[in-house]
Amino acid sequence: MIMPVRSAADLMPLLPELVLVIGAFALLMLDLFLDERRRVVTHVCAIGLLLVAVALVAMGVGGQGTVLGGMFVRDTVSDVLKVGIGIVSAISMVYAWPYLRERGLYKGEVAVLMLFATLGMMLMVSANSLVMVYVGLEMLALCSYALVVTDRDSPIASEAGIKYFVLGALASGLLLYGMSLVYGATGSLDLATISAAAEGDASTMLVTGVVFMVAGIAFKFGAAPFHMWLPDVYHGAPTAITIFIAAAPSLATFGMAYRLLQEAGGPLSGHWQLMLGGLAAISLVIGNLSALVQTNIKRMLAYSTVSHVGFLFMGLAGGESGMAAAMFYALNYALTTAAGFGAIVVLSRRGFEADRIDDFRGLNVRSPLLALMVLFVMASLAGVPPFLGFWAKLAVLQAALEGGMMWLAILGIVFTVIGAFYYLRVIKAMYFDEPDGDAPAPSGHRPLRWTFALNALALLVLGLGWSPIMAWCQRAFEVAAA
């Protein structure tokens, strides 16, 4: 039974979500009266998301607790993930504005859809019920489908949108079917009640439900062999939209995996850890080998995403002790992926998408500072010390070893070396290949260039000070388990 709200204090755990809802509806109405001033509104939205993240860090917007009859929970884990979601979504908005405006693609609904998608992500990481998990997931998914086809005149974007919608619906169906089996086996939608029921009797129906939920989670992450939508969607969507659908949702999907697997299916960890370990191995192999042969950098980053999901699953497969490492990896991946696609946005122009590796040839001659920033990004993606990506990989490898999966850790090390090759191809093109005289100069839009520079520098700075971030992740799970 859902308890009534007696005072404003009862809604404090929901305050970040309420701010987003009010902002999205206000923007939806204001768009009727806006024309060239949309840039101001977009920047206000980005600043608002950053302020929500800062408020969550300061813990000044409300305390821990549950609302909506226990379906929504605010705890330390959700706070950490929401901070990451807010920051990365704000970065995505800054990247999106100049890119879409220059191509005549920026409409008022873009920012609105991004805000509602961000709201869906925050609901996912705070879900304490199967119903809330699905509501947040579908809010994110439906907004993402619409964003992918922002360029309605592009046949590639239309094809990507159809594939995303069809395969996304299939993934949602698998997840929903698994949830229905879990509900049938336990008689409850509450995650804690499901966990208690699984502790007493792990029936065949319950285990089967968990298998389907793992498949749905793997689809949403883009893990092999459920990755078939990922390259086409990342390639077909406008690059600025790709940043948004690639970076922040990975944090939300991690939150969903934590809620469904650890909080609800913790007693069945022996089953889902083995499945995640297998998916991690397949993703490492397929993702890295497929990325080796790509000439389009967006498709290369898409396949590298599959390999990064393999590392993230490596942490999840480590069980409760690996959750903090997996969260750390998800935060690193979201920030690094935003910078990876951001490099394409900074270099592109209308009529020149800069989405081929050859488009980066001689970038050091044209813009040494931009080339250095791209170098930082590729080094972090490859896991080169002292960048953030190195420490994230080290954390999940250690979690795999502690979880008794030495074979998976060895496989991860081998494919880290193999995967470094396609990142080095980009660095080689920038520094050692002759520049293409027809390639235009990088974007002169200052906010865009400053955002990319700060995004790339953060990978080095946070890499040098990675220990407090990892400790923050560990502390979040310790407090949540207490």
Side-chain angles (χ1 to χ4, degrees):
M1 178 179 178
I2 298 178
M3 301 299 292
V5 176
R6 296 184 176 87
S7 66
D10 293 339
L11 292 176
M12 289 306 289
L14 267 172
L15 190 57
E17 288 74 17
L18 292 175
V19 170
L20 282 180
V21 170
I22 294 171
F25 280 115
L27 181 58
L28 192 61
M29 296 302 296
L30 284 173
D31 185 61
L32 297 172
F33 308 100
L34 296 174
D35 188 17
E36 296 301 323
R37 290 170 291 177
R38 287 196 178 115
R39 176 179 62 181
V40 176
V41 175
T42 303
H43 291 168
V44 169
C45 290
I47 293 170
L49 286 169
L50 289 175
L51 289 177
V52 169
V54 170
L56 285 166
V57 172
M59 297 298 290
V61 296
Q64 312 293 306
T66 60
V67 292
L68 304 178
M71 290 196 299
F72 181 97
V73 59
R74 181 178 170 197
D75 55 14
T76 50
V77 173
S78 65
D79 278 356
V80 173
L81 292 173
K82 287 177 187 178
V83 168
I85 289 169
I87 292 173
V88 176
S89 297
I91 292 172
S92 301
M93 282 191 172
V94 177
Y95 282 136
W97 164 252
Y99 179 93
L100 297 176
R101 181 195 58 180
E102 188 176 68
R103 292 157 179 79
L105 299 176
Y106 193 90
K107 308 296 180 183
E109 59 266 24
V110 171
V112 176
L113 287 170
M114 285 185 172
L115 286 179
F116 276 119
T118 305
L119 174 63
M121 295 182 226
M122 291 190 172
L123 292 178
M124 286 170 66
V125 302
S126 284
N128 200 36
S129 165
L130 297 180
V131 173
M132 189 60 70
V133 169
Y134 199 73
V135 168
L137 175 63
E138 288 308 296
M139 184 175 291
L140 168 61
L142 293 174
C143 294
S144 299
Y145 301 152
L147 286 169
V148 167
V149 292
T150 300
D151 188 359
R152 289 174 289 185
D153 295 328
S154 169
I156 298 177
S158 299
E159 180 185 352
I162 292 172
K163 287 182 178 178
Y164 195 18
F165 176 75
V166 172
L167 294 175
L170 175 61
S172 297
L174 285 173
L175 188 65
L176 190 59
Y177 183 63
M179 289 179 177
S180 66
L181 291 177
V182 170
Y183 174 71
T186 62
S188 177
L189 298 170
D190 180 74
L191 301 187
T193 306
I194 292 171
S195 180
E199 189 78 46
D201 181 23
S203 64
T204 302
M205 180 183 291
L206 182 58
V207 174
T208 305
V210 171
V211 170
F212 275 97
M213 288 197 301
V214 169
I217 291 169
F219 250 112
K220 293 301 181 181
F221 264 119
F226 305 105
H227 68 289
M228 64 286 293
W229 61 273
L230 203 66
D232 291 332
V233 172
Y234 281 18
H235 180 206
T239 307
I241 300 301
T242 303
I243 295 173
F244 183 77
I245 64 174
S250 63
L251 295 170
T253 308
F254 168 79
M256 179 178 70
Y258 166 68
R259 300 294 180 190
L260 292 178
L261 299 180
Q262 185 62 43
E263 290 208 333
L268 303 175
S269 59
H271 297 280
W272 56 259
Q273 285 177 14
L274 185 61
M275 288 186 282
L276 290 179
L279 290 170
I282 297 171
S283 298
L284 286 169
V285 174
I286 293 179
N288 282 295
L289 293 182
S290 299
L292 285 174
V293 298
Q294 302 302 317
T295 57
N296 183 287
I297 194 168
K298 290 174 72 175
R299 297 186 74 88
M300 185 201 81
L301 290 174
Y303 281 110
S304 80
T305 293
V306 179
S307 70
H308 286 293
V309 171
F311 278 104
L312 200 151
F313 276 14
M314 192 185 300
L316 289 174
E320 189 172 354
S321 61
M323 285 291 168
M327 178 191 280
F328 181 43
Y329 199 94
L331 291 168
N332 155 74
Y333 169 78
L335 193 62
T336 310
T337 297
F341 286 104
I344 303 174
V345 171
V346 172
L347 197 61
S348 65
R349 282 282 196 280
R350 185 170 186 172
F352 177 74
E353 290 302 314
D355 58 356
R356 298 179 303 119
I357 294 177
D358 286 346
D359 293 332
F360 285 75
R361 293 176 57 187
L363 181 60
N364 184 54
V365 176
R366 286 181 280 156
S367 179
L369 181 60
L370 179 59
L372 180 63
M373 295 299 103
V374 177
L375 171 65
F376 285 0
V377 176
M378 294 300 152
S380 185
L381 285 168
V384 176
F387 293 95
L388 188 61
F390 169 77
W391 303 109
K393 281 185 169 63
L394 186 65
V396 294
L397 287 170
Q398 184 177 357
L401 290 174
E402 292 176 356
M405 293 188 172
M406 181 178 289
W407 63 273
L408 187 57
I410 294 173
L411 189 69
I413 294 170
V414 170
F415 278 94
T416 295
V417 176
I418 294 174
F421 173 79
Y422 50 83
Y423 298 121
L424 289 174
R425 286 175 61 196
V426 179
I427 297 173
K428 171 185 173 293
M430 292 191 301
Y431 284 94
F432 298 103
D433 290 351
E434 291 296 324
D436 187 348
D438 296 332
S443 173
H445 191 268
R446 286 189 177 181
L448 176 60
R449 296 190 64 155
W450 275 106
T451 300
F452 174 68
L454 291 173
N455 194 175
L457 281 172
L459 303 177
L460 176 61
V461 174
L462 294 178
L464 295 173
W466 67 276
S467 183
I469 304 174
M470 184 62 191
W472 190 31
C473 294
Q474 291 173 335
R475 176 64 178 164
F477 286 101
E478 290 172 0
V479 172

